[in-house]
Amino acid sequence: MSANSFGSRLVMHTFGESHGRAIGVLIDGVPAGLPIDFSALQKFLDRRKPGTSAWVSQRAEPDQLEIVSGIFEGKTLGTPICGFVYNQNARSGDYENIKNQPRHGHAEQAWKNKFGHIDHRGGGRSSGRETLSRVIAGAICEQALNKIAPQMQVVGWVSQIGEWPCDMDLARTSSRAEIDQFPARFPIQDSQFIAEKLQNAKTNGESYGGIAEIEIRSPLSSLGQPVFHKLKSDLATAAMSLGATLGVDFGEGIPSLCVAGTEFHATTKVTQYGGIQGGISTGDVIRFRVYFKPTSSILDVAKKGRHDPCIVPRAIPVLEAMASFVLMDHWLWSQTDKFRI
Amino acid sequence: MSANSFGSRLVMHTFGESHGRAIGVLIDGVPAGLPIDFSALQKFLDRRKPGTSAWVSQRAEPDQLEIVSGIFEGKTLGTPICGFVYNQNARSGDYENIKNQPRHGHAEQAWKNKFGHIDHRGGGRSSGRETLSRVIAGAICEQALNKIAPQMQVVGWVSQIGEWPCDMDLARTSSRAEIDQFPARFPIQDSQFIAEKLQNAKTNGESYGGIAEIEIRSPLSSLGQPVFHKLKSDLATAAMSLGATLGVDFGEGIPSLCVAGTEFHATTKVTQYGGIQGGISTGDVIRFRVYFKPTSSILDVAKKGRHDPCIVPRAIPVLEAMASFVLMDHWLWSQTDKFRI
Amino acid sequence: MSANSFGSRLVMHTFGESHGRAIGVLIDGVPAGLPIDFSALQKFLDRRKPGTSAWVSQRAEPDQLEIVSGIFEGKTLGTPICGFVYNQNARSGDYENIKNQPRHGHAEQAWKNKFGHIDHRGGGRSSGRETLSRVIAGAICEQALNKIAPQMQVVGWVSQIGEWPCDMDLARTSSRAEIDQFPARFPIQDSQFIAEKLQNAKTNGESYGGIAEIEIRSPLSSLGQPVFHKLKSDLATAAMSLGATLGVDFGEGIPSLCVAGTEFHATTKVTQYGGIQGGISTGDVIRFRVYFKPTSSILDVAKKGRHDPCIVPRAIPVLEAMASFVLMDHWLWSQTDKFRI
Amino acid sequence: MSANSFGSRLVMHTFGESHGRAIGVLIDGVPAGLPIDFSALQKFLDRRKPGTSAWVSQRAEPDQLEIVSGIFEGKTLGTPICGFVYNQNARSGDYENIKNQPRHGHAEQAWKNKFGHIDHRGGGRSSGRETLSRVIAGAICEQALNKIAPQMQVVGWVSQIGEWPCDMDLARTSSRAEIDQFPARFPIQDSQFIAEKLQNAKTNGESYGGIAEIEIRSPLSSLGQPVFHKLKSDLATAAMSLGATLGVDFGEGIPSLCVAGTEFHATTKVTQYGGIQGGISTGDVIRFRVYFKPTSSILDVAKKGRHDPCIVPRAIPVLEAMASFVLMDHWLWSQTDKFRI
């Protein structure tokens, strides 16, 4: 398996450096005949774009998706789909002064030790911009899943920023479209509260870690393999392959575990298990959380005024995309679970 | 990639059902010429064996390792190493009454829906006994790593059982041999405390979740790939592919994230990042925690008196083995990082 | 991909040295619920066994198949199937004198240069005995294919030994059972002719190369992928991964190509293309030939009187098994060709 | 493994349809720090270009290579290299009349049956134009191999067109540059002979099959794995994954096999074995031949006047590129053959 590939039956191969010529993905294994709605793809891509509100990075990239293979007359061919965006607003000059001085808290020093040669501009391949590739792949999967299981919804939100938790009841009853309306995808009644916090952080060079929560509502059952490709394991891999993540948990989460087993198992809350048993989806809601460290760009001379004070809001579409990719991969895999002859 | 394989340059393929004929592993990619100490392998295997203390499962398996390929005259051949143990003390009769009645909290129902046909005895392939395969593979890797980087130590312990935390200072200064001496691998001055708790739980049909903590001390640097096979991602995959795990985190852990970035990054504690930056090991101690739910065997008529009241102590050698496997896989991978001509 | 694995959706991982403890295979990806006829498996295995006629190697191995996982109550579980035979009649002492003197025409010298450490006994992992693993895997696939496409038959024969060609009309109208009745699986009216040639060769320390021809009769259509896993490419890989093979061709073979295109394409013989177009089976008979060099064991002091004067007859079940494996792999793959929602 | 990927340690993922937007490749696993000579890449690519002489296809594509990732300041980064060319001179209108009428001898019918949906223009993904992707990948590998083993040369030529053989002595003593000077890469003293034959064929709508011969001169030893990734097996896979190939053989070829073993093995010609024993290169010249059917484009209304009367000359750089890719893949693999601590 190569270092830039993800998936088992369906595979995405991502490529591109932050300030190189292009960033994109090659997706292999999508069955033939799936109609593709290009404008929906572009719209999904725009959800992670920088420059969309006052407190996120102001790198203004059009991020116009080009798909150069695998789709003909609006439908997939069963051949590899290559999609990418050209990088345009890459202020590489900003990075000249760090060329020989790796940034604290960034990947540069470790990368340099490992590979000897490094594209220092904007994090190179370690940039969060790499996640754009994943969104393209996940957005295509979502179009497939919408046909396979229209009732299934992958919905994520920011459930904590710094020390501030969202309104969980509001979050769990909101659709993706509704969550996208909240500033910072942070569901809370007083929506200006967090906008101000983030604006202040941006002004003051501050940043916050936070928590993303993802729900797969009305999921298909029987997805996931029993040993190494458990559904929980593949979702965790997806989450932990993002740059700023430091943890992941499923079900009701870590605090719920520190009780006696008679109490834990007495519950009728199926959510205790996160909707997955023995690695396989049961059909109950799948719920997991991903933990992000505060962005280190505050320390970063090069990014003066262009940093995200909290990266989690923009990570939501990436996590949703990755979850959809994992679901589609396992759906394909599940087609040969049983000998049906 | 198949559902029962793990690794990139080094691959383990595991096989076997809990009450089938044998449980084992095929390991492909170990370089030729590595001397193998068989008695050390067996000793590592014995560390996860049931029946080793009053409060763990009393299934008394000799778990005698047979290696049938890949090693000749005490050294690896560079060919696949197949190692397994025959199952012996499989009281399959115990499971007759659950054949048509899947156990609550176990994988059986999800498995049955998915595959149609199931080995209901002792969890079949979903049994924790599958982890024996991983210990064989990891123990071989550890012998390789001992030669490659003798200073590197993979040490795990139980850092919490139910609501009781271990003595963290004691834990972080104890060697693996010292930790193995603590009841339940739970480092604490008053070592009888936890032994009594577990004995009571066993008597009363109670169980506890808990936390395992793993440290990779004096690790090699430059291990890990920058995108999908980040070192943190592969370690998380390894942890989340175990049956009872519900979460994993790195560095100083989740509570450390809920602070402002200026505070988080101001620290000089390299452990904030868990010893990994951009997916690549920096050489600083790597630290991660794995969260386990209370074992559901308390609910399990079939296992009357044979259950583990807390599974975490026996998971420690499994996690150590998996970590060693991941390290060896990435060491092999790192041999071709740079073009050295 | 590891060096001892073959297949894409269905994977076989083979292991074992000729005079090691065991030789076997781990098969991952067989769907759950396939009934397995163990005695048919053993019978298939016996077809490649040494010691079955006067002129083949006299190493008398019972080759009793043990399956230790993946099958329960006579049906596959969807989990990895591990099957192997213990090596018994390994006259390793025969090989002592070659320990430090690699045999001309064998793999030992190249192996030693590459790996440093080598199991010199009977060819170690390079022994033809490794093919036993493939037969186990292929025989299981054949049981599946018999249910999926009962009309499809994989039939091979020896079409040339040294300079002597078989009777091609007889070959192409004979069933597998009929071909197994011919001495040396060489279809010819005067069946004693070749038996005498081989007996003489054995007596005189002579050997012959030869040609195996494989037909897939009434094959499923739509098997094979369009670029790297063309059906012809995967079948060629299978053939060329055997030890003594030096070539492979499809359709009417090499001489048929040296004509003008107007003549070649004017024909209505679909067999020109070998039943495969654009890498995909058309439903017409698939025909390919595999070319073997004369066995080098004639040069081999260690094998005095135990060599096969022509290896091709025993290669037939191996090639049939590999073909069945490739077909089953591609059948599984074809289940997700089209988006069917 | 996905259907459009090739390689084990080094992997190429190819994409693109003949008349789609672009054709290209993603190469993952090239170590960091390799200097890349872009003009040499373009020159290699131009060697397979249509329109280069009177008798090849007149599709005049500039085939300008764009590399959009993986290379920075003229050196590889160790990240995926994505290279492609935009399709420009795609006279898709030519194919309108075949949209609903698959061409005899082409892949369209099999493809349509399999996938349902097809890009009928110019063969779509089944076009020979797909090989352009492989040339990009192989040309990069060749630059690496030139540094690793400067004495090693991969040289191919057309050794037979229709019934006419080349001058083998001339071929085996010519460099690649010299062979490129012969019309149709067909080494023969009277070089106009074959040019006339091909010009006549083009005029008369005739075509020819033929044979490509590839030599790896002064090869590295110890490349190749002993079981499934034998060097001969991977080279055969590479050859048989091309569209028009029907066979491959190694060493002195098929006729050499039909002799008695005492004669075959008595020879001191190491070339008998094709430079590979037990799947591993010995350091002797590696020689193999690839057999091509006459192109079926003669039957093809759409290609009136644009067909190649013999495809083999343009296949030479493709086969050289694939061989170089296989060699580089195995060189990377060989870096971890032995445990060197």
Side-chain angles (χ1 to χ4, degrees), chain A residues 1-9 12-14 103-107 109-116 125-126 130 134 160 162-163 204-211 221-230 232-234 236-251 254 256-267 272-274 277-282 291-299 322 330 333-334 337-338, chain B residues 1-9 12-14 103-107 109-116 125-126 130 134 160 162-163 204-211 221-230 232-234 236-251 254 256-267 272-274 277-282 291-299 322 330 333-334 337-338:
Chain A
M1 185 55 69
S2 56
N4 298 278
S5 299
F6 181 76
S8 293
R9 290 304 180 256
M12 70 165 93
H13 312 287
T14 74
R103 294 173 294 174
H104 177 68
H106 279 80
Q109 188 60 57
W111 182 289
K112 198 159 193 172
N113 291 345
K114 184 180 183 69
F115 292 112
R125 180 101 181 107
S126 294
E130 179 270 337
R134 311 184 188 208
Q160 187 160 327
E163 60 187 293
N204 303 328
E206 186 55 276
S207 74
Y208 296 107
I211 307 177
S221 62
S222 297
L223 303 185
Q225 293 288 337
V227 179
F228 285 116
H229 288 276
K230 290 180 164 79
K232 66 175 180 173
S233 171
D234 278 7
T237 306
M240 293 302 292
S241 67
L242 297 178
T245 57
L246 278 175
V248 61
D249 65 23
F250 285 76
I254 290 166
S256 81
L257 305 174
C258 299
V259 298
T262 43
E263 185 180 337
F264 183 90
H265 294 288
T267 180
Q272 290 279 40
Y273 305 100
Q277 287 201 323
I280 302 164
S281 65
T282 60
Y291 300 84
F292 291 79
K293 65 180 172 72
T295 173
S296 44
S297 295
I298 47 167
L299 314 166
M322 288 300 281
H330 279 283
W333 210 336
S334 73
D337 284 343
K338 291 180 201 172
Chain B
M1 186 54 69
S2 58
N4 299 277
S5 299
F6 181 77
S8 294
R9 290 302 180 257
M12 70 164 94
H13 312 286
T14 75
R103 295 174 293 173
H104 177 67
H106 280 81
Q109 189 60 57
W111 183 288
K112 197 159 193 173
N113 291 346
K114 183 179 184 70
F115 293 110
R125 179 104 180 105
S126 295
E130 179 270 337
R134 312 184 188 207
Q160 186 159 327
E163 60 186 294
N204 303 329
E206 186 55 277
S207 73
Y208 296 106
I211 307 176
S221 61
S222 296
L223 303 186
Q225 294 287 337
V227 179
F228 285 117
H229 287 276
K230 289 180 165 77
K232 67 175 180 173
S233 173
D234 278 7
T237 307
M240 294 302 292
S241 68
L242 297 178
T245 57
L246 278 175
V248 61
D249 66 23
F250 285 75
I254 290 165
S256 80
L257 305 174
C258 299
V259 296
T262 43
E263 185 180 339
F264 184 89
H265 294 288
T267 180
Q272 290 280 40
Y273 304 99
Q277 287 201 323
I280 302 164
S281 65
T282 60
Y291 300 84
F292 291 79
K293 66 180 173 73
T295 172
S296 45
S297 296
I298 48 167
L299 314 166
M322 289 300 281
H330 279 282
W333 211 336
S334 72
D337 284 343
K338 292 180 200 171

